[in-house]
């Protein structure tokens, strides 16, 4: 039986989970609090892969504080794991510590767990409740859940445009449409993702770094759709974080060899009549352990992803400016009927400096 106290303590665990957002992936960012006699006696969150999970972190902190956790209630934002991976199973450790009750927000979708952790606890005589703050916990690890269920990452398309939807002048100039605060917020969205995807057109026209450039925050792994291996060896995209270049089977061998020698990981994927197979590329990115994929691309790739239904979320920074003739953020259509028009729902609208940050998701 859950009550308001369970929700209160689970939200404290969700706060802990946010601390692991940038370091936990490809594992889920999980938070944990241990409660005894109505008070939080220890907190923890998932650290980098191979290090302690949230439950172990909280137990270690309790031990360091001299707290006996026997009989305590453990609140955790995801089912404790039941298998040996990089670390021993958390469920077994909770049994060993003789905790009295475990409250989980939801089951782990990982096939290696998927209810087994909760079953292990129940078999040991520990009271278990599951489903407290389920929606908030799902949202906090939406990329992990998406990858576990579909094999694909959660795909977030980031755009920066004028009020009339333009991302560049007709002559190609685009710096800067949005304000400095919006550009920094965009880099923070990059840091949240484990991968960033762009196309060869953007690489050749902008020579982007695709890095975060914020102190102590990681930059995502870079992925480039480049069917003919045209990425110049000296360009910024090959510097810093690893870069995977997706090419077609007919890409010139000399170019592929040169990219490999420059430190890139070159991966051949199938092509269709419009170019590289985008679904196969996303599947490969998911297999690389990317939970959230940040897309910053030109109108052609952005439009292709949208037309194929491969974008889960749009983060649009909109400047209060009108450009007139220029490049749209995505090439779509042409549509002939209004029921063909893509419709999205607003998740949030917030001011950022002089601009607006608009987050949208697919209509359910």
């Amino acid at each position: 039986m859950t009550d308001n106290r369970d929700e209160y303590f689970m939200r404290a665990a969700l706060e802990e989970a946010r601390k692991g957002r940038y370091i936990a992936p490809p594992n889920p960012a999980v938070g944990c609090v241990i409660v005894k006699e109505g008070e939080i006696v220890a907190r923890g969150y998932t650290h980098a892969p191979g290090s302690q999970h949230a439950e172990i972190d909280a137990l270690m902190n309790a031990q360091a504080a001299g707290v006996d956790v026997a009989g305590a209630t453990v609140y955790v934002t995801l089912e404790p794991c039941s298998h040996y991976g990089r670390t021993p199973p958390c469920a077994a450790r909770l049994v060993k510590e003789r905790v009295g009750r475990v409250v989980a927000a939801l089951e782990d979708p990982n096939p290696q767990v998927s209810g087994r952790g909760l079953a292990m606890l129940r078999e040991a005589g520990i009271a278990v409740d599951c489903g407290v703050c389920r929606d908030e916990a799902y949202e906090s690890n939406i990329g992990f859940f998406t990858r576990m269920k579909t094999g694909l990452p959660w795909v977030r398309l980031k755009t920066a445009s004028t009020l009339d939807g333009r991302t560049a002048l007709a002559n190609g100039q685009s710096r800067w449409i949005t304000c400095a605060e919006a550009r920094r917020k965009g880099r923070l969205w990059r840091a949240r993702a484990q991968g960033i995807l762009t196309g060869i057109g953007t690489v050749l026209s902008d020579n982007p770094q695709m890095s975060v450039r914020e102190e102590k925050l990681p930059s995502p792994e870079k992925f480039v759709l480049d069917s003919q291996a045209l990425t110049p060896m000296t360009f910024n995209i090959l510097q810093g974080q690893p870069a995977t270049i997706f090419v077609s089977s007919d890409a010139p061998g000399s170019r592929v060899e040169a990219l490999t020698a420059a430190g890139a990981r070159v991966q051949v994927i199938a092509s269709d009549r419009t170019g590289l197979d985008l679904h196969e590329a996303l599947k490969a990115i998911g297999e690389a352990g990317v939970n959230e994929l940040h897309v910053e691309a030109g109108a052609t790739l952005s439009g292709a992803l949208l037309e194929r239904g491969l974008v889960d979320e749009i983060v649009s920074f909109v400047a209060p400016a009108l450009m007139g003739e220029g490049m749209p953020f995505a090439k779509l259509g042409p549509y002939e009927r209004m029921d063909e028009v893509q419709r999205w729902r607003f998740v949030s609208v917030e001011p950022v400096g002089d601009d607006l940050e608009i987050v949208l998701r697919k209509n359910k």
Side-chain angles (χ1 to χ4, degrees), residues 191-273:
R192 174 172 169 164
Q194 298 78 57
I196 185 167
L197 175 68
T198 194
I200 185 59
T202 297
V203 170
L204 295 177
S205 63
D206 297 345
N207 188 19
Q209 294 182 14
M210 295 294 183
S211 60
V212 173
R213 302 192 297 281
E214 302 294 334
E215 186 179 358
K216 297 182 179 180
L217 291 181
S219 290
E221 183 174 349
K222 293 173 279 194
F223 298 89
V224 181
L225 291 164
D226 179 10
S227 63
Q228 294 302 301
L230 298 175
T231 301
M233 310 307 147
T234 59
F235 267 35
N236 293 328
I237 202 73
L238 298 182
Q239 312 304 314
Q241 287 295 97
T244 296
I245 312 296
F246 292 118
V247 302
S248 65
S249 58
D250 62 356
S254 60
R255 298 287 304 172
V256 170
E257 291 173 4
L259 282 171
T260 302
R265 292 195 286 261
V266 180
Q267 186 168 346
V268 177
I269 61 173
S271 300
D272 55 29
R273 60 183 178 80

Side-chain angles (χ1 to χ4, degrees), residues 105-298:
L106 69 178
E107 288 188 3
D108 190 334
N110 186 335
Q112 293 180 296
V113 185
S114 192
R116 295 182 183 89
L118 300 180
M120 182 184 293
L121 295 169
R122 290 188 176 106
E123 288 168 4
I126 296 172
V128 173
D129 285 295
C130 187
V132 178
C133 299
R134 175 183 295 273
D135 292 345
E136 295 97 317
Y138 185 92
E139 182 69 26
S140 72
N141 279 301
I142 196 166
F144 175 76
F145 282 97
T146 300
R147 183 169 66 87
M148 286 294 110
K149 291 178 178 179
T150 69
L152 306 178
W154 175 264
V155 178
R156 180 180 295 114
L157 175 63
K158 179 260 180 182
T159 73
S161 66
T162 58
L163 198 59
D164 51 352
R166 304 301 179 183
T167 60
L169 294 169
N171 63 11
Q173 291 186 41
S174 61
R175 296 188 177 181
W176 294 104
I177 288 175
T178 53
C179 66
E181 294 93 331
R183 297 197 297 274
R184 181 177 184 276
K185 187 70 180 295
R187 293 194 296 273
L188 293 178
W189 279 105
R190 284 182 187 174
R192 174 172 169 164
Q194 298 78 57
I196 185 167
L197 175 68
T198 194
I200 185 59
T202 297
V203 170
L204 295 177
S205 63
D206 297 345
N207 188 19
Q209 294 182 14
M210 295 294 183
S211 60
V212 173
R213 302 192 297 281
E214 302 294 334
E215 186 179 358
K216 297 182 179 180
L217 291 181
S219 290
E221 183 174 349
K222 293 173 279 194
F223 298 89
V224 181
L225 291 164
D226 179 10
S227 63
Q228 294 302 301
L230 298 175
T231 301
M233 310 307 147
T234 59
F235 267 35
N236 293 328
I237 202 73
L238 298 182
Q239 312 304 314
Q241 287 295 97
T244 296
I245 312 296
F246 292 118
V247 302
S248 65
S249 58
D250 62 356
S254 60
R255 298 287 304 172
V256 170
E257 291 173 4
L259 282 171
T260 302
R265 292 195 286 261
V266 180
Q267 186 168 346
V268 177
I269 61 173
S271 300
D272 55 29
R273 60 183 178 80
T274 60
L276 292 174
D277 187 321
L278 297 180
H279 187 275
E280 183 173 331
L282 294 182
K283 183 179 179 182
I285 292 170
E287 290 173 349
V290 172
N291 295 331
E292 297 186 16
L293 180 66
H294 183 92
V295 179
E296 290 190 31

Side-chain angles (χ1 to χ4, degrees), residues 53 55 78-85 87-93 108 112-113 116-118 120:
H53 289 185
E55 302 94 317
L78 188 66
E79 173 187 4
C81 64
S82 57
H83 65 291
Y84 282 88
T87 59
C90 295
R93 178 67 181 274
D108 190 334
Q112 293 180 296
V113 185
R116 295 182 183 89
L118 300 180
M120 182 184 293

Side-chain angles (χ1 to χ4, degrees), residues 10-25 28-32 44-46 54 77 133 135-137 139-141 192 217:
M10 187 61 76
R11 290 199 167 91
L14 287 165
E15 285 293 324
E16 289 298 307
R18 293 186 183 96
K19 297 177 182 178
R21 171 180 289 174
Y22 298 111
I23 61 174
V30 178
C32 176
Y45 62 93
T46 302
T77 60
C133 299
D135 292 345
E136 295 97 317
E139 182 69 26
S140 72
N141 279 301
R192 174 172 169 164
L217 291 181

